[in-house]
Amino acid sequence: MLRKSGFVMLLALVCILSACSNVGSDAPGDSQRLTKDGKKTVVFSVLSSNRFLETAVRLFEEKHNDIRIEIKEYKASEGTEGGGAREGFSLADIEKYVQSVTTQVVSDGGPDLILMNNLPQHKFVEKNRLAHLNDLIADGSSFDRNTIYDNILKASQDGEGLYTIPLSFSLETIQGNTELLKELNISVDKNAPWTWSQFSDVAKKLKEQGGSEGYYNLMMSPLLHTYIEDRYEELVGEGQPGFDSDLFRNMMEEIKSIYDEGLLNEGMASDPAKAVFRMVGIFNPVAALTMPSNLDYYHNPSATGKQEGVPFKAIDSLGINSKSEVQSEAWEFIKFLLSDEMQASPDLFGLPMNKTATDKRLNEVVEKIENGTLELPIPKDMLPSSETIKNRIAEVQQLISEAGARKLSDLKVLTIATEEFESYKNGQKSAEEVSKLIQNRVTTYLNE
């Protein structure tokens, strides 16, 4: 994987969220839609295939003799076996893939079914290149919205239209050391949204009272990404960039001041035990429930301090090409991916969209702890009590039910902002100069 200053956290996020994504040369409407034995072919674009998808294709085709799912991957993941890992790609690989798929789809071609990870969803929606999934849901009676988290489905809409549907997701919370905060007599409401400005006030108190650090290993560029995602509609939405503005310049200045004042550290924390917060969301049931007893989940500080529900990110989400002639067949496959059977697969990364599957995974953790078969992510003596773990199940389920603020961004936009921000970060250019450069580059990109 790529390891460059400014891109480490970005690529880590990309790798986590890039379970699969690929590109095919077949265009919707191609006369070669039927196989020799009369099956309809759905071309499915992914960056790299994985075990979950390959198993799903095999099982789906066994149940649907008239449909063939053809996974078209852009590049096989390097150094992995079975296609199950989410690593092995450079930023250049991902950018080439995104450019290839985007060019095909915007040109009325491309695959029928698209794993949307890393792709410019706003651009696809703006150019009417994604099918309206609400129409497909309404047309049939074989899909029960009550089986999945409808609040997340609604929050995944662009305006009034649903163009992509998550297969799995993560809750964008953070871990906070509640015991350490109590020892230092510092109050932070774990159930309330707060701003980075409020975090700065807390970090100053931590530094003064105990030499503790606010965040463990949070670099400046990833923090810039979170700011952009929090105000994405104002900065990027609907193809009208807003980077050349006081809003964005103030964001850059606030970010830089947090580090200049020593409230956050660009390097590793000198003593991880002194870090009060960690940017670790909820995506792994085992890790979520076995978190040490001195830690709790808190809201992640935001650029606005206002959130309509708990923030979440789609880990894997799918869209159907609006020009495809096999939309109904592609939708059948999506429904299968959301079924109890596939959502319960251990190969699905993240929290399943299927309610039954998520509840099952959470309760399996308790069962494995009780019968001693759980592979522990922490030393056994740090394991929370059974009562604490059961309380956490209820907490995670409550947080999921409150999820309603989708975090969505464009990889290319984040890359542009990261590259230009470096010169402001190093004092080579002013905030105004950098904001104008980002504005011009993003405008050019969005108009391509």
Side-chain angles (χ1 to χ4, degrees):
M1 288 187 60
L2 186 67
R3 299 291 183 192
K4 292 184 179 179
S5 176
F7 289 118
V8 174
M9 291 298 291
L10 171 62
L11 287 177
L13 174 63
V14 166
C15 290
I16 289 176
L17 300 185
S18 297
C20 354
S21 316
N22 114 20
V23 56
S25 58
D26 303 74
D30 193 331
S31 60
Q32 303 300 317
R33 273 304 171 206
L34 293 178
T35 63
K36 291 181 180 179
D37 52 0
K39 296 182 179 181
K40 286 189 177 181
T41 300
V42 175
V43 178
F44 182 16
S45 169
V46 300
L47 173 61
S48 180
S49 187
N50 65 27
R51 188 179 294 109
F52 172 76
L53 289 180
E54 290 163 2
T55 300
V57 168
R58 176 176 57 81
L59 295 176
F60 177 80
E61 290 182 346
E62 288 175 1
K63 298 174 185 289
H64 299 80
N65 296 326
D66 58 338
I67 303 174
R68 175 175 176 262
I69 306 296
E70 180 183 348
I71 296 180
K72 287 278 190 175
E73 63 178 348
Y74 177 74
K75 183 179 180 181
S77 182
E78 299 171 2
T80 64
E81 296 181 3
R86 296 165 178 259
E87 56 186 31
F89 299 101
S90 69
L91 182 61
D93 289 331
I94 296 167
E95 287 189 332
K96 288 178 183 177
Y97 160 72
V98 171
Q99 182 179 19
S100 179
V101 174
T102 302
T103 299
Q104 290 182 40
V105 174
V106 170
S107 301
D108 290 348
D112 303 293
L113 184 60
I114 312 166
L115 194 77
M116 294 297 296
N117 304 356
N118 309 315
L119 294 173
Q121 183 170 321
H122 277 88
K123 181 180 287 190
F124 285 17
V125 171
E126 180 187 351
K127 296 183 180 296
N128 298 314
R129 293 304 186 267
L130 293 175
H132 293 263
L133 299 182
N134 276 330
D135 293 341
L136 293 171
I137 293 173
D139 284 346
S141 59
S142 60
F143 182 71
D144 184 1
R145 289 182 70 136
N146 293 321
T147 62
I148 64 175
Y149 294 109
D150 199 51
N151 56 311
I152 292 179
L153 197 63
K154 289 179 180 177
S156 299
Q157 294 188 166
D158 288 85
E160 297 299 316
L162 179 67
Y163 301 94
T164 62
I165 189 164
L167 299 181
S168 59
F169 62 95
S170 65
L171 297 177
E172 297 300 290
T173 56
I174 59 174
Q175 293 179 357
N177 192 324
T178 305
E179 285 188 6
L180 186 54
L181 286 170
K182 287 181 179 178
E183 288 175 12
L184 298 173
N185 197 29
I186 295 175
S187 177
V188 177
D189 186 348
K190 74 186 191 75
N191 298 312
W194 55 322
T195 66
W196 284 105
S197 177
Q198 291 172 310
F199 164 80
S200 295
D201 293 337
V202 170
K204 288 175 185 176
K205 292 178 182 177
L206 290 170
K207 196 172 182 181
E208 292 168 357
Q209 295 186 33
S212 297
E213 298 183 21
Y215 259 91
Y216 174 70
N217 195 30
L218 177 57
M219 297 173 67
M220 202 180 297
S221 294
L223 182 56
L224 173 68
H225 302 160
T226 67
Y227 269 74
I228 292 173
E229 289 172 343
D230 287 339
R231 308 299 289 263
Y232 194 78
E233 290 300 325
E234 295 159 274
L235 295 174
V236 186
E238 299 183 1
Q240 300 295 326
F243 288 96
D244 185 12
S245 63
D246 287 339
L247 168 67
F248 184 65
R249 286 187 279 272
N250 290 338
M251 288 166 59
M252 288 197 297
E253 290 168 359
E254 183 173 71
I255 291 169
K256 191 171 185 298
S257 69
I258 290 175
Y259 289 88
D260 288 346
E261 294 176 29
L263 304 178
L264 287 177
N265 189 344
E266 276 275 61
M268 298 290 285
S270 56
D271 183 357
K274 288 188 176 182
V276 178
F277 296 105
R278 297 184 184 219
M279 193 173 280
V280 180
I282 301 174
F283 58 89
N284 182 316
V286 174
L289 300 183
T290 60
M291 183 173 65
S293 300
N294 63 320
L295 302 181
D296 275 313
Y297 286 110
Y298 290 73
H299 283 256
N300 198 355
S302 71
T304 64
K306 300 176 182 178
Q307 293 170 342
E308 296 180 5
V310 175
F312 73 93
K313 281 186 178 179
I315 292 180
D316 288 332
S317 61
L318 294 174
I320 298 176
N321 194 323
S322 62
K323 303 296 181 179
S324 171
E325 292 188 344
V326 287
Q327 290 186 30
S328 61
E329 288 77 11
W331 174 237
E332 283 299 319
F333 185 56
I334 290 178
K335 288 192 292 184
F336 182 67
L337 292 173
L338 290 169
S339 67
D340 292 359
E341 177 182 2
M342 286 312 304
Q343 290 274 296
S345 168
D347 293 325
L348 178 67
F349 190 80
L351 297 173
M353 270 292 284
N354 183 289
K355 295 177 184 177
T356 300
T358 295
D359 289 345
K360 181 179 179 182
R361 283 198 186 185
L362 291 170
N363 288 309
E364 280 178 349
V365 176
V366 179
E367 293 173 6
K368 288 181 178 180
I369 289 175
E370 290 177 346
N371 61 31
T373 60
L374 181 68
E375 295 183 8
L376 297 174
I378 60 173
K380 193 170 184 179
D381 59 356
M382 293 181 64
L383 192 67
S385 66
S386 295
E387 182 180 356
T388 298
I389 292 175
K390 289 176 182 178
N391 289 337
R392 282 203 177 138
I393 289 179
E395 182 182 9
V396 170
Q397 290 171 329
Q398 181 64 31
L399 288 170
I400 293 174
S401 71
E402 295 173 357
R406 177 184 57 165
K407 288 291 199 77
L408 182 68
S409 58
D410 187 316
L411 174 63
K412 183 63 176 178
V413 171
L414 294 182
T415 302
I416 291 170
T418 300
E419 291 172 349
E420 298 299 343
F421 181 73
E422 285 293 312
S423 59
Y424 171 69
K425 167 184 168 182
N426 298 328
Q428 297 169 330
K429 294 177 183 176
S430 68
E432 185 171 0
E433 290 175 305
V434 169
S435 64
K436 290 183 182 296
L437 286 170
I438 296 174
Q439 176 79 7
N440 291 338
R441 288 185 63 187
V442 171
T443 299
T444 299
Y445 162 67
L446 293 176
N447 290 333
E448 288 176 351

